[in-house]
Amino acid sequence: MLLAIESSCDDTSAAVMDAEGRLLSNVVATQEMHRRWGGVVPEAASRAHLSNIVPVVDEALRRAGCGKNDLRAIAFTRGPGLPGSLHVGVSFAKGLGLALGIPIVEVHHIQAHILAHFLEEKKPSFPFLCLTVAGGHTQIVRIDSPISMTILGKTIDDAAGEAFDKTGKLLGLDYPAGPIIDRLARQGTPRFAFPEPAIPHLDFSFSGLKTNILRFLEKNMRENPAFVQENLSDICASVQERIVSILLNKLEKAALQTDIRDLALAGGVSANSGLRSGLTALAEKHGWQCYVPRPEHCTDNAAMVAMAGHFKWQAGLYADQEVTAEPHWALTSP
């Protein structure tokens, strides 16, 4: 059995996987308290991880029908993420691994999101391209094997998830705003035009779009203070359409440049219905294959860490007891 631990941001999660790569359990404790502040407070998140990690691991073992002495390895998210949150998971994994005398396996958070596809029945073939989209990262990654990945393009400022959340804040929506904007967008019409940034190569930028949305709202609310309330669904549909087009236009460009026909989505924003349907349409247009994990495997969870850890465990890529959290860990092959 392999135990996996995820604590990179505000969700504490533990999962158990068997030696054949079959997921036996996946437990997530979500920290709802951050909603009141409109975003994650790092110090509060760290304290919550300290409270949650033991009961979450115990529950994962119970659901898997095993005890800690049945474990043969422990995988953990080393980074990137919030420093305090990462330290909780890393320290717990090191301590338990030392106590049990079993190897520990460090996992890159983005690699884990990408390899979540191998939890599904329908799996991409190597090489494939993955658009990883979340609150803290937006990247196009070429995957040649479970342990060999190359970034082809990335955001030069804000991530797509930040664009959703900060737009939601401007609109007075709850946090996290992405799922709320997605729901409202399905009720609206994308009749407001927002520009697509002219960023070279395969990189992304969302800071200009956020500024454009702010100026748009300020102008229209000066003329009509009830503008947002009267047009909320159409605003959400327009913003979502532009964010999705920015993402998929770059992914299409990357696929044409590399001649790779298997395309995947990963990360929390990949649960967005507009992005999912847009990827499906793009794949149908070119005769490509597309892959998206189940929604519960898109957000932060230990099942994806278990899958990434499983591949590294098989390859004998272990960490030592000197390993520390790496909040800004770059995605490179080991």
Side-chain angles (χ1 to χ4, degrees), residues 163-243:
F164 275 115
D165 285 337
K166 292 181 180 178
T167 296
K169 194 167 186 177
L170 293 174
L171 296 174
L173 303 179
D174 198 3
Y175 172 88
I180 302 173
I181 290 176
D182 188 16
R183 174 174 55 80
L184 292 170
R186 293 195 293 269
Q187 304 168 14
T189 301
R191 60 189 181 90
F192 301 115
F194 295 106
E196 182 165 344
I199 306 300
H201 310 300
L202 298 175
D203 290 332
F204 301 92
S205 171
F206 291 95
S207 62
L209 175 63
K210 289 190 313 180
T211 301
N212 190 271
I213 294 169
L214 173 62
R215 299 290 179 261
F216 167 82
L217 294 175
E218 288 177 338
K219 175 181 181 296
N220 284 280
M221 289 179 70
R222 280 196 300 268
E223 299 170 357
N224 175 14
F227 176 78
V228 169
Q229 182 179 353
E230 294 173 356
N231 298 277
L232 184 58
S233 294
D234 289 350
I235 296 171
C236 289
S238 303
V239 169
Q240 178 160 296
E241 182 185 60
R242 176 52 68 219
I243 293 175

Side-chain angles (χ1 to χ4, degrees), residues 51-189:
S51 299
N52 291 336
I53 192 161
V54 171
V56 164
V57 168
D58 283 346
E59 180 64 12
L61 292 173
R62 186 192 68 78
R63 292 186 189 181
C66 67
K68 61 182 182 295
N69 291 323
D70 296 311
L71 300 176
R72 295 295 175 265
I74 302 172
F76 61 93
T77 301
R78 183 185 177 193
L82 300 176
S85 295
L86 288 168
H87 279 300
V88 174
V90 173
S91 299
F92 186 91
K94 288 169 62 176
L96 186 57
L98 186 63
L100 297 176
I102 59 177
I104 56 174
V105 181
E106 62 184 15
V107 169
H108 192 286
H109 185 72
I110 307 305
Q111 273 192 327
H113 272 302
I114 292 169
L115 295 175
H117 290 88
F118 293 89
L119 295 165
E120 309 297 332
E121 185 175 343
K122 181 185 176 185
K123 300 173 176 59
S125 300
F126 299 108
F128 66 95
L129 296 180
C130 188
L131 174 65
T132 66
V133 215
H137 63 267
T138 300
Q139 300 170 337
I140 297 175
V141 184
R142 174 182 173 133
I143 299 90
D144 292 294
S145 80
I147 56 176
S148 179
M149 304 183 184
T150 306
I151 296 176
L152 303 182
K154 62 183 183 301
T155 182
I156 61 175
D157 43 54
D158 297 330
E162 290 177 282
F164 275 115
D165 285 337
K166 292 181 180 178
T167 296
K169 194 167 186 177
L170 293 174
L171 296 174
L173 303 179
D174 198 3
Y175 172 88
I180 302 173
I181 290 176
D182 188 16
R183 174 174 55 80
L184 292 170
R186 293 195 293 269
Q187 304 168 14
T189 301

